[in-house]
Amino acid sequence: MDFLAKPGGSLSGTLRVPGDKSISHRSIMLGALAEGTTRVEGFLEGEDALATLNAFRAMGVSIQGPEQGCVTIEGVGLHGLKPPAGELYVGNSGTSMRLLAGLLAGQDFSVTMTGDASLSQRPMERVAKPLRLMGVEVQTEAGGRPPLTIKNNAGLKAIDYVLPMASAQVKSCVLLAGLYAEGKTSVTEPAPTRDHTERMLNGFGYAVTVQGATASVEGGGKLTAMAIDVPADISSAAFFMVAASIAPGSDITLIHVGINPTRIGVINILKLMGADISLLNERDIGGEPVADIRVRSADLKGIHIPEQQVPLAIDEFPVLFIAAACAEGKTVLTGAEELRVKESDRIQAMADGLNTLGVNAEATADGIVIEGGDYGGGTVNSHHDHRIAMAFAVAALRASAPITIEGCDNVATSFPNFVELASTAGLQLEQC
Ligand code: S3P
């Protein structure tokens, strides 16, 4: 399926984007392993979070829903999962594969996980390595790619692991395996990354201690069921933040958005570029900070993006590059080599698409340099990456001709109603 995005338009209104993908995954995982019944509201009914949900159903967990964002999970306890009948297929979802790897390391059965063409190319050695140190037998294809097979032959050893890259998925994998290890498992990260696992474990009554850059869990505890209200996903809201910033005459409010400090790089970076963004009605929902976000159009300027913001905005760069294309002057991104191993090589995919539109964008090994200015339309390839597809839909607001975006099916992994919501807000977007 392709998108046809017509040029021009402005955004207005009050919008609620779907639930946070990271928190939705974790709500199923911890709810399934808790004792008691966990009720989740605001769950993301996207393919990625559903892949996690189906994996737990395949391991014998009774889950009702999702129905209008509500899911009820009958927890089986940390030791209550059953071996699945076959391989677990997790589609496009790196979060499912990497976090499940940690949990599966603690089971007394072996499991193989597979994924789609994109996930099958993504690096899994980053989770295999610490799990092997914990005593788990882990098999991958050549180059550390999926399928990923996890076999726990004996008990798990606790480890102190220093992450070689800033990755919340790897951190979470090790912490989740640590629930099953004997003793204290610690993970130290080179830069702060999203801490939803730590927050949610604490919410389920499982103590995670955090000291500086190190998070630790003691094995052998238990999780107690809780109610979860999943905030709207700031990574999905980001498309509308950039859209309203670049389309003249826009004024929108995005409601109930998660503003966890480890996720707000997109707000920090857009503000540095001169965006007009205000946080309203800030509140705490079940251990996660939430706010309504008002965005009005503004004249953006190019910046050198501070490297410490990179992990805090890691999923938002495709659309931030569109903001850079509409800004006055040059935007420089460095220290972002992780973007090359996301659902696509996001540096190359965005540089190629921007060049097609006539934007002067140059990929570098660990980032990109983008010269802002006027641009046209054309046909760009999303490489089946949801965030590349949505970023180029936003780009049309300032293009002088239509943009056709190829391969947009995977938008449903994180934002199933994107076309409808974007059209309501003021984008001229069609599926074709
Ligand atoms: C995620 C962590 C990030 C992010 C991904 C979701 C998570 O990946 O890009 O979309 O839910 O933990 P990395 O851990 O690879 O940085």
Side-chain angles (χ1 to χ4, degrees):
M1 185 245 298
D2 298 346
F3 284 169
L4 173 64
K6 296 196 183 131
S10 66
L11 282 86
S12 62
T14 298
L15 310 169
R16 181 165 173 158
V17 301
D20 188 278
K21 183 154 76 72
S22 294
I23 298 176
S24 294
H25 281 294
R26 289 158 172 81
S27 71
I28 299 290
M29 294 179 189
L30 300 192
L33 297 172
E35 295 179 15
T37 304
T38 289
R39 288 203 173 75
V40 185
E41 271 176 60
F43 180 78
L44 167 65
E45 297 185 36
E47 287 166 8
D48 276 16
L50 293 172
T52 289
L53 188 154
N54 288 329
F56 281 93
R57 276 197 181 132
M59 292 189 284
V61 181
S62 163
I63 304 174
Q64 285 97 54
E67 218 183 285
Q68 295 186 350
C70 294
V71 182
T72 305
I73 309 153
E74 307 296 341
V76 296
L78 277 165
H79 299 280
L81 295 179
K82 299 203 175 74
E87 294 176 344
L88 292 179
Y89 175 74
V90 295
N92 195 243
S93 179
T95 310
S96 305
M97 191 171 280
R98 297 205 180 107
L99 271 62
L100 274 168
L103 288 176
L104 293 172
Q107 312 307 317
D108 57 7
F109 50 84
S110 65
V111 178
T112 298
M113 288 184 283
T114 60
D116 71 0
S118 152
L119 185 55
S120 298
Q121 293 307 312
R122 296 184 65 191
M124 293 299 144
E125 197 55 32
R126 52 182 63 197
V127 290
K129 191 172 169 208
L131 292 177
R132 287 191 190 113
L133 292 173
M134 296 178 89
V136 185
E137 197 183 317
V138 185
Q139 286 160 13
T140 64
E141 285 299 298
R145 312 285 167 204
L148 184 63
T149 300
I150 311 281
K151 284 187 194 162
N152 177 2
N153 300 314
L156 283 188
K157 290 198 283 277
I159 54 168
D160 290 336
Y161 193 64
V162 178
L163 289 174
M165 75 292 286
S167 164
Q169 292 178 350
V170 183
K171 172 177 66 172
S172 300
C173 170
V174 177
L175 288 175
L176 293 173
L179 304 182
Y180 293 90
E182 217 180 291
K184 182 168 157 189
T185 295
S186 298
V187 197
T188 302
E189 49 187 1
T193 66
R194 66 192 68 194
D195 62 357
H196 305 300
T197 302
E198 297 90 306
R199 286 173 188 253
M200 201 182 284
L201 279 170
N202 280 320
F204 274 86
Y206 205 115
V208 181
T209 49
V210 179
Q211 267 188 324
T214 304
S216 314
V217 290
E218 285 280 346
K222 67 169 188 155
L223 299 163
T224 306
M226 68 183 282
I228 297 175
D229 178 357
V230 181
D233 197 330
I234 191 168
S235 298
S236 297
F239 297 102
F240 292 94
M241 288 184 212
V242 171
S245 297
I246 64 171
S250 298
D251 184 354
I252 57 163
T253 302
L254 296 152
I255 58 168
H256 207 74
V257 183
I259 52 157
N260 180 313
T262 60
R263 296 286 299 281
I264 56 169
V266 61
I267 297 178
N268 300 337
I269 293 167
L270 283 173
K271 280 189 170 168
L272 288 173
M273 296 176 80
D276 182 353
I277 299 178
S278 35
L279 299 186
L280 314 168
N281 196 11
E282 287 188 45
R283 55 212 184 264
D284 183 278
I285 305 280
E288 288 282 351
V290 169
D292 302 330
I293 304 178
R294 183 170 181 194
V295 188
R296 284 172 277 191
S297 26
D299 292 329
L300 301 181
K301 57 180 193 307
I303 58 166
H304 191 146
I305 297 173
E307 286 197 5
Q308 77 270 20
Q309 294 296 325
V310 170
L312 312 181
I314 194 69
D315 291 336
E316 286 66 75
F317 283 106
V319 79
L320 282 169
F321 295 169
I322 303 302
C326 297
E328 194 189 321
K330 192 192 275 188
T331 294
V332 180
L333 173 68
T334 52
E337 56 280 347
E338 277 293 308
L339 292 180
R340 291 200 179 269
V341 289
K342 293 293 177 188
E343 287 84 327
S344 68
D345 175 344
R346 287 184 171 159
I347 291 176
Q348 202 55 52
M350 287 303 299
D352 291 347
L354 286 169
N355 289 336
T356 300
L357 304 182
V359 178
N360 185 352
E362 200 186 322
T364 61
D366 66 343
I368 197 165
V369 180
I370 298 171
E371 194 70 58
D374 294 337
Y375 55 85
T379 298
V380 298
N381 188 339
S382 76
H383 296 269
H384 301 284
D385 182 329
H386 55 141
R387 301 200 198 279
I388 304 285
M390 291 186 275
F392 281 112
V394 169
L397 289 160
R398 288 274 290 265
S400 60
I403 302 177
T404 299
I405 308 150
E406 293 177 331
C408 297
D409 302 75
N410 278 340
V411 167
T413 59
S414 67
F415 203 151
N417 60 340
F418 176 70
V419 172
E420 293 79 353
L421 207 61
S423 305
T424 307
L427 273 81
Q428 301 180 68
L429 185 62
E430 286 165 26
Q431 268 168 227
C432 49

